[in-house]
Amino acid sequence: MKNGERARAGHGSPAAPGPTVVGREAEVAEIRSRIAADRSHSSVLIVEGDPGAGKSVLLDLAVRLTRGTGQRVLRAVGSESEAPLAFAGLHQMLRPVLDDLGGLPARQRSALRTALGLAEDAEDAETADTPDALLVGLAVLTLVSDLSEPAPLLVVVDDAQWIDRASLDVLSFLARRMAGEPVTLLMGVRAAAVLPGFDKGYERLEIGPLSGDAANRLLDEQPKRPTGRTRARILREAAGNPLALVELARATADREPEGSGVEGPLPVTDRLEGIFARHVRHLPEATRRALLLLAATDAADAPAAARGLPEAADTVWAPAERAGLVRQDGTGVSFRHPLVRSAVYHAAPFEQRRRAHLALARQLGEEPDRRAWHLAAAAVRPDEQVSAALRETAGRARRRGGHAAAAAALERAAELSPHRADQARLLADAADTAVFTGQLGWVEHLAAGVRERSDDPALIGRAALATGRLLTLGPHHTAAFALLSRVADEAAATRSPRLLDALAAAAVVRYYSGEESQRQRIEALLADVPDSAAGGALRAWVLAVSDPSGAGASLAPALPRLIAAAKGEAGSLTALAVVAWLLDRTPLAARTFDEAFGRWQAHGPLPAGLACAAGWAYLEQGRWADARSVAAEIAEVASGAGLDHAEACARTLDATVLALLGEPAEARGSAERALALVDPLESRSVAVLARRALGLAAVAEGDYDSAYAQFRAAFTEDGDLVHYHVSPTVLAELAAAAVRRGHREPAARLLERSARHLGPGMSARLFLLVERGRALLAEPERAERHFRAALAGEAGEQWPFERAQTRLDYGEWLRRQRRVAEARPLLTGALDTFRRLGARPWIDRAKAELRAAGIEADAAAPGALTELSPQQQQIVRLAAHGLTNREIGEKLFLSPRTVGSHLYRVFPKLGITARAQLRDLLDDALQATGSAH
C-alpha cells in the first residue's frame, strides 16, 4: 500500500512528524510513553486485541518512531508454520545482531548458539550438550543489556500467540529479569490467546472496537467513501474492527452503491479471509503462485521462496501490492496482515499447497528441520522417509532444549509412520517429551494415541506414567495417585523396572496429599521391587517421602554413602538431599542441595517434585535469604507454567520467612494466596504449612488467640496429625500459644498423642521440639527436666532459630523462678541469634526479658545485611569474593547492569563506599554468626 493510501486508511505517513491512528489516540499515547527517548528503565506491555483491531499498526508505529530516533529495534513476528520449530522466534529476533554474540561470556555464547542451531559444524551440533534453559535466557538478557548500553532498546514481538514455546520461555525470562535495563518489550497477541509466562503480572493494553464516531471517520478517509445502506451495513458487520472497515469498504467500492456485496453474517476473521481470497482470484496466475509459495513459507524460508520464482520480482508482486495484499520494502516482500496469508493459503486447493511445500523443501537442503516440516505438510499418506526426517528434527530440538518442538515433531512423525507399532512408540516418546511443556491436555492426548495403536503394556504404561508425572505437579492429587497406582500395578504384574519410577512419582503425591492409604499402597508395591545398586537412590526417595518417621528413618546412616555414590549426578543428588531434609539431617541436606543447586535449577521448565525442600532446609539452617531466593525462583517458574500447587509450596515458604522477619502483613498475603491455589483436602502439606505461617505471623503481632487457632488447624478435631511430616513441626509453637491463652490441658493431650504416633522413629529435631512443648506445658516442678532435654547436646545447633526459641523460653522460666543469674546467659544467647537472623519480633521479646532480668540490651539493630533483599544479599556475598558484575550475573541469572544497579543502591545501606569493603563487612557478619552458636 502506498503512503497516500496508508494515510487514507487512518495511518499517517512514516515521514509525518506525528503518526496517528484513527480512533486510537489513547493507545498511541500509551505506546509513545513506552518508547520515550529518555526512558531509563524496563517496560513490558501486552498489546491485546482481536484480529484486525490494529495491534500490528500500533507496533509498527512504535518501530518507526524508535528507528526515527536512531535507536535499535529487535523484532519477531509469530507464524503458525514456525510454531513447531524450537527457538525459531528467537532466531528471527536476533538475526540482525548475531555478530554480537561474540561478546557474550563463553558458556552463555555456547548455550545460545546451540539453541539457535549455530554450532560450528554438523558434528558439533550432534555432540553439543542440551543447552541449559536458564543459561540461554541469561545469554539473551546479557545480549539485550549490552545492546541497550549506547541507547534504549525496543523489542517487539507481534502475533506472539504463534511464537514457538522455547522462544516464548526465553522472552518470559527476559521480561522477568530485565528490571533496571533501558529496554521496552511490546508483545502483540490475539485476544483470549494463552500466552504462557505472560498471563499475569504484566500491564495490558486492550485494543477494543472503534467507537461509532471513529469508525465513521475511518470510512470517510477511504479512497471511495461508502454511503447509504452499504455504509450502514459495513458499520454493522465490521463491529468497530478497523481492518474490517477498510477491507469491506474496499470490497464494496466497485459495486452498486446500495448493493449487498458484503456477505454475512460471519465472524470477522472468516469474513475478512473471504474478502482477501476474492482479491486473490482476480490476480494473474503467476502472482497467485507466488503468493501461495510465500504463504507456505515461514520467515526464514522467504529467501527460498524468492529463489523458487522464475519471474522478475516486480512483475510478480506488483498486482498483489496494488490489491493491498503484500508490501515491499528493503527487507523483501511480506503479507500486509496475517489474515491475508491465511486466506491465500487456505483458499488454494490442497494439491496446489502440496506443490508449494515440495518446492520449498527442494530449496531447503541445508535447513533440515524446515525441510522436514515442509515435506510433512506435503505428505498425503504415511511416508517412512519423512517420518525419519521428523525424528531427526525432534532429536535436534531436544538437544537444543526445545521440548515443545521435539514433542510436536515426534507426534507428526508418528502420524506419518506406516507401522502402528512405530506410531505407538513415537507417541510415547512424544508424551515423555511433552511433560516438560506443562501442557497436561497434550500429554493426555498423546497417551490416548498410544492406547489406540498398541496393546503393549510397556508402551501404554510409559505414556500413562508421563501423564501421571505431570498430574503430580498440579492440584488434583487424588486423580494423580489413582493413575500412578494403576501404572505401578501393571508394572508389578510384568516385573517392569518402571514400577520404581511410578512409585517415586506416587510418593510425591503421597507427600503433597498426606493421605495415609496412599502410604500403605506404596509400601505394599515397594515390597515387589528387588534391591539394586542402580535403584538405591530412588528406593530411598520412595521410603523417606512416604514415611520419614517409620520406614525411612532406617536410611539415615546410609545417606552419606548414597550421596557419595551419586558422583555429582544432579538428579540423584537432589533426590538424596530431599531425603536428608525429610529425615531432619538438615546440614547434610543443605550441603547436598548446594552441590546440586546449579544444575537443579535447570532441569527444564518444570520444578522437580518437592523442590521447595531446598528452601526449607536453608530456612531451618538459618539461611533465610537463600530460602527466600529458592521460593522466588520456584514461584516465578511455577506461575509462568500454570503449576498452582508448586506455586503454593513456594508461597508458603516465603510466607514463613516473612513472618519470622517480622513482616506479618506480607506473610499473611503470601500464605492466603497459597491456600487459594489449592484444595486443602488434596494438598494437606501446603494447607498445614500455610497455617503454620499464618500462626507465626500472628505471634509476630502478639495475637496469640489467632496463633493458637492457626496452629491447632494442623491437627484434626480428635488431635491426629493432618499431615504426617509437617504437623509435628507445629507442636512446640502450639504449646507456646496454648500457654498464653489458657489451653494448657488440651494442648498437652494433643502433644502426647502426637508423640506416641511418632514413636521411636522420631528424629532428633522432632524430639527437641516435643521436649520444648512439654516444658512449656508442664507444671513448674516438672518443666526444667524437659527444658534441659530440649537443650542437651550439640545436635540442636543445626536449627538455630528453634534453639534460640528454647533458650528464650527456658531463660524466661528461670527468671520467673527468680533464678536470674542462670537466665541471663540463655537470654543473651537467644538475642544474639535472633539479631543475626533478623527475627525482629523475637529480638524485641528477648530484649524485654533481659530488661526484666536486670540487663539493658544495647540498641543494636539486626545486621545491615538482613535489611537487604535475598537477591541483594547474594550479590553482596559474591561481590565480596571478588566476582565481577558479569560473573555474578551469570550465577544469579541477572544482567551485569542489574547487578551493578543493586550494588549502587546497597552500598549506602551497608555504610560503605567501595567494593573492597565488602569482604570486611562479611567477615564481621560471620564472627557474629559464630558468637550466636
Side-chain angles (χ1 to χ4, degrees), residues 26-47:
E27 291 86 347
V28 169
E30 177 66 24
I31 293 293
R32 284 178 174 276
S33 71
R34 299 284 174 157
I35 61 172
D38 61 348
R39 66 188 190 274
S40 57
H41 59 278
S42 65
S43 175
V44 179
L45 182 67
I46 314 297
V47 182

Side-chain angles (χ1 to χ4, degrees), residues 552-562 583 585:
S554 61
L555 293 171
L559 272 177
R561 174 179 54 80
L562 290 169
L583 300 182
R585 298 287 300 274

